Amino acid sequence: MSSNTNGKDDDPFGEFEDPFGEIDLSMEDTFQPPPAPVSDVRNKDNNMDLLGGENQKKKEEEDVDMPFSTADLESVPAIVVDDGQRGTPVHSKKSVIVQEEVVEEEARKAPGLFSFQEEQTVQQTRLISEDVFASSSQAAQTRSGNQQETEEIEDVSSYPFYSIKRYRGYFDVSTQDVLERMYRPVVYFFKSDFKEHMNDNPDLYGPFWIASTLIFISAAAGNTASYIAYHRKHHGAADGSGWYYDVDKVGGSMALFYGYIGIIGVLLYGILRYYKAGVSLATVWCTYGYALVSYIPMAALCVVPVEIARWVFVGVATAISGTFIVRNFQTVITEVAGMKASFLLLGMVGVHAALGLALKLYFFNY
């Protein structure tokens, strides 16, 4: 085997040049890694080291509990809202909404970077804004209601006795109050607490309409009973006579019920005033007016063409209403009249019994 004459080894790779030997590495300083995926940014808070992980987690929990920091809230101009306590400034809904808009603006700039903590911040910010707005509105309504009540309070005694404004307070009553006061004289007629149930606020609305209702029901029921009795008596007769509606019963019922409440009430009030009892005329009229509510179903039942039943209906209604009246005035009459209280109470019972008797004989005597 012959050797190389030039003194060099016969290496087939001797003249091979490294293709990477002359690469220019001047771009090394300007080389930048590709951007991290969005998922890595979102999970950045989860890739915490073991030493600082617990502290970072506690900080995030505090951020969730506090929708926004005090420094951020102070940076927004606060609007003083009177929440019922003078001189107490609170951040109004406008200032809280500004914080909410700032967070939402950041979310619009980077929709992919809106973290879960920021979503909770927006939600809690909205809740706080609603609570602040509701508190301020409630305080404003309370002030408005107190001002209205103050304006409504007036001295009605300054009006003359013939002025309607002097008596309009006796007609300021709700439907619920009227129904409850109508219920007690029928169901709890044996109790003597009607004045306490009125809360020293008697009304004339209920007594007026009870008496008015009795006027028309009694007149209508009396004419109906007369019509039934006429046809039972003249059944099959061919005498040519007819039945006529008695309009006078309306006037008679007006005199009976309005007169009983008005005149008897004034007489009883005069007696109580003579004995210096602290009972107003409105209280007397209110008690007598609601006591007559038991006569309303009685008048409708007396249409039945049975004489004994009619006497029973009138007797029961008279006993119920009379007991209610006597029981509610018995205590005050006994205290002020002393030994004469029995005569006054017997007189009240006799007058009330006369009312029931007149009602039976005038309307249902067929």
Side-chain angles (χ1 to χ4, degrees):
M1 183 173 182
S2 62
S3 59
N4 191 351
T5 57
N6 294 329
K8 298 180 180 180
D9 295 335
D10 191 6
D11 187 358
F13 303 101
E15 299 179 357
F16 183 79
E17 296 181 358
D18 190 359
F20 302 99
E22 298 180 359
I23 293 178
D24 188 7
L25 299 178
S26 61
M27 299 296 292
E28 182 177 0
D29 297 336
T30 61
F31 177 75
Q32 296 180 357
V38 178
S39 61
D40 295 342
V41 177
R42 291 180 176 177
N43 298 329
K44 180 179 179 181
D45 295 336
N46 297 329
N47 299 328
M48 299 182 294
D49 58 303
L50 297 177
L51 296 178
E54 296 181 357
N55 296 332
Q56 183 68 16
K57 186 175 181 181
K58 292 180 179 180
K59 184 177 182 301
E60 291 179 354
E61 293 178 354
E62 294 176 356
D63 293 340
V64 172
D65 295 335
M66 180 64 69
F68 44 81
S69 63
T70 306
D72 294 338
L73 184 59
E74 293 177 352
S75 63
V76 181
I79 299 177
V80 177
V81 178
D82 189 359
D83 59 347
Q85 300 178 356
R86 293 292 182 180
T88 305
V90 298
H91 291 275
S92 65
K93 185 178 181 181
K94 180 178 179 181
S95 62
V96 182
I97 291 178
V98 172
Q99 293 289 338
E100 180 181 338
E101 292 178 353
V102 171
V103 177
E104 293 182 351
E105 182 66 22
E106 295 296 333
R108 286 194 295 269
K109 291 180 180 180
L113 302 180
F114 198 46
S115 64
F116 176 74
Q117 288 78 9
E118 291 175 343
E119 292 179 359
Q120 289 187 341
T121 302
V122 172
Q123 295 177 358
Q124 295 185 7
T125 304
R126 290 173 178 171
L127 294 176
I128 291 178
S129 64
E130 293 176 357
D131 294 339
V132 173
F133 183 72
S135 300
S136 60
S137 300
Q138 185 177 4
Q141 292 177 359
T142 302
R143 293 194 304 272
S144 177
N146 294 336
Q147 182 178 1
Q148 184 177 3
E149 292 179 358
T150 304
E151 293 177 355
E152 291 179 354
I153 297 176
E154 58 181 354
D155 186 12
V156 295
S157 61
S158 60
Y159 298 106
F161 72 93
Y162 55 83
S163 177
I164 299 177
K165 294 181 179 180
R166 187 182 181 94
Y167 309 103
R168 61 185 178 183
Y170 296 109
F171 295 87
D172 186 11
V173 64
S174 64
T175 304
Q176 185 65 27
D177 293 335
V178 173
L179 292 177
E180 290 180 357
R181 295 178 183 185
M182 292 175 62
Y183 176 78
R184 297 189 69 85
V186 177
V187 180
Y188 300 106
F189 63 93
F190 52 88
K191 292 186 177 182
S192 59
D193 58 348
F194 187 68
K195 184 178 179 181
E196 289 76 10
H197 182 74
M198 289 189 298
N199 296 323
D200 293 332
N201 184 26
D203 71 284
L204 301 180
Y205 180 86
F208 172 77
W209 284 112
I210 290 173
S212 301
T213 304
L214 274 172
I215 290 171
F216 292 100
I217 288 183
S218 299
N223 280 279
T224 303
S226 174
Y227 177 80
I228 295 174
Y230 173 81
H231 279 277
R232 291 183 63 185
K233 183 177 180 181
H234 300 86
H235 181 70
D239 53 358
S241 61
W243 174 83
Y244 298 96
Y245 185 88
D246 190 2
V247 184
D248 294 337
K249 290 187 181 298
V250 178
S253 59
M254 289 181 62
L256 184 64
F257 294 110
Y258 285 156
Y260 177 75
I261 296 176
I263 297 175
I264 301 302
V266 170
L267 291 177
L268 179 60
Y269 170 72
I271 295 173
L272 295 176
R273 186 175 178 85
Y274 173 78
Y275 287 105
K276 298 180 180 181
V279 180
S280 63
L281 179 60
T283 301
V284 177
W285 278 343
C286 183
T287 305
Y288 268 83
Y290 281 104
L292 300 182
V293 71
S294 60
Y295 283 109
I296 295 178
M298 179 276 304
L301 293 174
C302 284
V303 177
V304 177
V306 179
E307 191 67 13
I308 298 178
R310 289 173 179 173
W311 280 107
V312 171
F313 295 149
V314 173
V316 171
T318 303
I320 291 175
S321 56
T323 303
F324 176 78
I325 293 174
V326 172
R327 287 288 295 162
N328 282 276
F329 287 107
Q330 181 179 5
T331 301
V332 63
I333 291 177
T334 303
E335 291 177 355
V336 298
M339 299 297 295
K340 298 180 180 179
S342 300
F343 298 99
L344 292 176
L345 293 175
L346 288 176
M348 293 171 61
V349 172
V351 173
H352 193 73
L355 172 68
L357 184 62
L359 187 63
K360 169 63 178 68
L361 297 178
Y362 183 72
F363 291 100
F364 307 105
N365 189 23
Y366 301 104

